Structures are given as structure tokens and as C-alpha cells.
Amino acid sequence: MLMGNLFLDPQTGLGNFFGLLKAATSGAFGIKGTIITLDLTELLADETHDKKTVDSCIRALAGLIRAEIARDDYRRIAAFRIGDGEFVMVLPEKTQAEAENLATEIGILFREKASWHSVPNAEIRTGTATYGEYGKNGASVSTILKAAYLALADCRYAEFPMHLPIWAEKLIDHMVERVYETLDLLDEAFNLALNDEISGLPNYRAAELFLEQMLEEYRRYGEPCSLLLIDGDNLKQYNLLGYQRGNRMIRELADLLKNGLRHSDRVARWLSGDEFLVFLQNADRHFALQVGERLRAAVEEGSKDWPFPVTISVGVASCPEDGVTAEELLAKAEEANYAAKQRGKNQVCEAKGCYNGRVQK
């Protein structure tokens, strides 16, 4: 499914504020524990650092948080980015002392990471707050939110009293419940709008978003990226078996493509029934040609026992060589795919030649 992004921060891969609401609503945090806040707002506000440097520090902090979550004794920790420079870690069943020790450890490691990104003496402000037993079904959402913002206040201000009457906490719970119901409806609508029912892949609308996101990464960080336009060869013969069998073939072809990619790569169904787009981040032309050949071979091998074995033609376009806009890359990928068709199909082509184990002149 494409969605889930509704509850995730795209820059760090951690949950966002909506993700925090979702987890709190589900009772995932138990009935007691401690919350840590990590605050980078001073670093973000420092105009001596460019955006690329700041983004690197944000991703470095997120990486440290994910590493802590992966440790056996911290597996129940959940982490969220709730603002530009604001992170929250929820530690069910952990004490204030344990939380403070973890916050100190992350702060030390972050200073080391930040120095690698030419940000010496970078600091993160940390704060902690406990959430206590509220009921046998777990801490309420208002309790979790109050603890999160108390911890955030703790790392910013010397004194920040915050006492809510019971009616106010009940009101927050009611409002959050309505917000979460709305998020569920939005999640469902987003999935219907951006996912292809037949292949199980993101559809062409999602593909356009993926392409823009990939190019935005190039513009921000200067890392190369590539696009593969994949078109099935002679798939119309499946119409002889009926549309249901044709749809099944599309799903099986989509699975072969998806399974042949890195975790960071994406594949979407494109405009016609047997067209797909593959998005390769941080991938130059040489790497993209190798991926295209791997997919071509995987489809040829994986479909050999199908009623009609199929092959694919792959067109490769790379940024920045072939363009830096969506229109330029799509045009080059279509041109390369057409070349693969013209040269006998079952090939991987770029504008300069085709690749079937090697680039042909």
C-alpha cells in the first residue's frame, strides 16, 4: 500500500504527529512510562548553516534514534518527528532515570555525528517527562500529549507549569478521537486515489509524485537518479485467456519487478496495462542499466512456466545527463524504450544503445 505516508515523516522515516496520535489511540504505549523530547530548533534557526547541512543533521539524529530503537532492551520504544526540529521518543515502562541516560547518550553521539557534517559543537536540547497510570486500557491520548509537551517545555524553559482539569483532558481525548477518525477516512481515500487495484502497485498519479520527489532529492543533494520505463512484450496474447487471466499476469509481473529492486527503490504501474515505471534514487546510468538488465532477466526466467512466457523492454533515463525535469526524463525513457522495441524487444536501452549483458554500439 502506498499510504502509511500519512503517518510518516518523509525526510526521516519516523512517525509524524499523526503517527503519534495513531499509536496513542491504539494503546501502544501501555499505562505508564517516560517521554523524551529532542529539540533541534536552535540549530534550524542558525542562519550560518545551509539547508543541506541542517537536513544532514536531522537525518543523522533520526538514524541515531532508529539505532536505539533496534536495541533489544529498547524494542518497545516508539519515535516521532512532530515538528521541524522536534522529536519525541516514548519509552513504555521505562523510568525517568533510564530516559535521562538515553537522552544523554543520544546527545553525545549526535555531537560526534554533527562534527562530521561540519557543525562543530552542535547541541540538541533534551527533556523528559513521565506519564502515569490512567486506566487499565492504557494511557489516554491527552496524557501522552501532555507529557510530550511537558518534556518539550522542560528542555526549553526553566519553569513551565501545566495543569489541566479533567474536563480539559476529556475534551482533548474527544477531539483527538474525531481527528483520528478523519485520518482513517483520508487514509482510505488516499489509497483508492493512488494505488492500482489490479497490480497492487502505486498507480500513475503516485508515479508522478514519486518522480517529483526523486527529482527534488536531486535538486537538494545533487545525487544522481534514474528512471526505467518498462513495457511488456507481446502481452496481448493473454487476452485470449480472458481478462481475469490477463489481470493475474499483470499482478505476477508486478511482483517480479518489485522483488528485483532495492528497498529504497519504487515501482508503479504507468499509463497502459503493461507499462511500469521504476524509480532509482542515488543511481547513475551505469547502475540503472544493470538494474534494468537484472529485471529483464528476472522476468524472462520467472515467466518461463506461465501459459505464455513474457519478456520486457526497458528504457533507461538518468538525471542529470538526460534532463533534470520530469518531462525531460520521461521523454528520454520513452525514446529508449521505443529503441528497445525496435531492436527486437527483450532488451534494455538508453538513448545511445541497448544493453543485454553489455551496451551495444
Side-chain angles (χ1 to χ4, degrees), residues 1-7 22 183-197 200-203 205-206:
M1 300 292 279
L2 176 65
M3 278 307 289
N5 291 348
L6 182 62
F7 303 102
K22 179 180 181 180
L183 290 175
D184 267 347
L185 293 173
L186 181 59
D187 190 13
E188 182 179 355
F190 212 92
N191 275 310
L192 290 173
L194 295 180
N195 284 279
D196 177 62
E197 185 176 354
L201 296 176
N203 64 14
R205 296 188 191 93

Side-chain angles (χ1 to χ4, degrees), residues 11-25:
Q11 188 174 2
T12 64
L14 301 176
N16 57 18
F17 181 75
F18 291 155
L20 174 62
L21 292 186
K22 179 180 181 180
T25 303

Side-chain angles (χ1 to χ4, degrees), residues 226-230 257 260-261 278 280 284-299 312-316 346-349 355-357:
S226 296
L227 180 69
L228 308 183
L229 175 57
I230 296 174
L257 296 175
L261 296 172
V278 172
L280 305 175
D284 59 18
R285 186 191 301 279
H286 178 70
F287 182 80
L289 288 168
Q290 291 181 323
V291 172
E293 169 58 18
R294 186 170 71 239
L295 294 177
R296 183 205 65 77
V299 170
I312 56 173
S313 296
V314 184
V316 177
N346 194 24
Q347 297 191 52
V348 181
C349 284
Y355 185 91
N356 197 348

